Amino acid sequence: MNPLYGVQPGDKLKTVTLPAVTRLDLIKYAGASGDYNPIHTIDEEAEKAGLPGVIAHGMWTMGSLAKLFTPFYEDGFIQDYSIRFQGMVYVGDVLTLHADVVSHEESMITFDVYARNQQEKDVIRGNVVFRKHLETSAT
């Protein structure tokens, strides 16, 4: 049975705590995404832009937040995903990922999702609509 079938509004998925963000994470993401903006990899360039150091790509953070749903990909897929950036993510930050059930219909579950840093400050918030594969009985 699909493990998401029993969730109700107010329920929470198990949180995921990521390892501390490393410069290598950001270099790898720059190569994979094609986003070579130097504020993500070179301290001097980030400082010229008025930042205290390199910052993670916003899309790296957004992609990481989707890891909350990895255990459920056999059961369905993310149909819709929208976020708002709330704060910057720096090298060394430790992010904890959260998903709270907002609504549960037959084939869809809507979640509030967010990531918080080690200071308990939100760095990203949004919504995910997860579309479940409907179970069918074998004939």
Side-chain angles (χ1 to χ4, degrees), residues 59-107:
M59 297 307 288
W60 177 88
T61 308
M62 184 178 178
S64 295
L65 189 56
K67 290 179 181 183
L68 286 163
F69 299 93
T70 301
F72 308 111
Y73 287 147
E74 287 186 12
D75 304 312
F77 59 94
I78 294 175
Q79 175 179 304
D80 202 11
Y81 190 10
S82 62
I83 58 94
R84 293 187 68 84
F85 300 106
Q86 304 287 308
M88 294 182 199
V89 175
Y90 298 95
V91 170
D93 279 356
V94 175
L95 302 181
T96 302
L97 314 175
H98 303 263
D100 303 338
V101 178
V102 174
S103 67
H104 184 173
E105 299 171 19
E106 182 179 356
S107 64

Side-chain angles (χ1 to χ4, degrees), residues 25-72:
D25 291 331
L26 305 182
I27 291 168
K28 287 178 179 179
Y29 185 81
S33 69
D35 182 349
Y36 296 105
N37 186 328
I39 66 169
H40 300 303
T41 56
I42 303 170
D43 285 315
E44 295 79 18
E45 295 298 318
E47 290 166 6
K48 281 190 219 175
L51 300 167
V54 298
I55 60 171
H57 305 74
M59 297 307 288
W60 177 88
T61 308
M62 184 178 178
S64 295
L65 189 56
K67 290 179 181 183
L68 286 163
F69 299 93
T70 301
F72 308 111

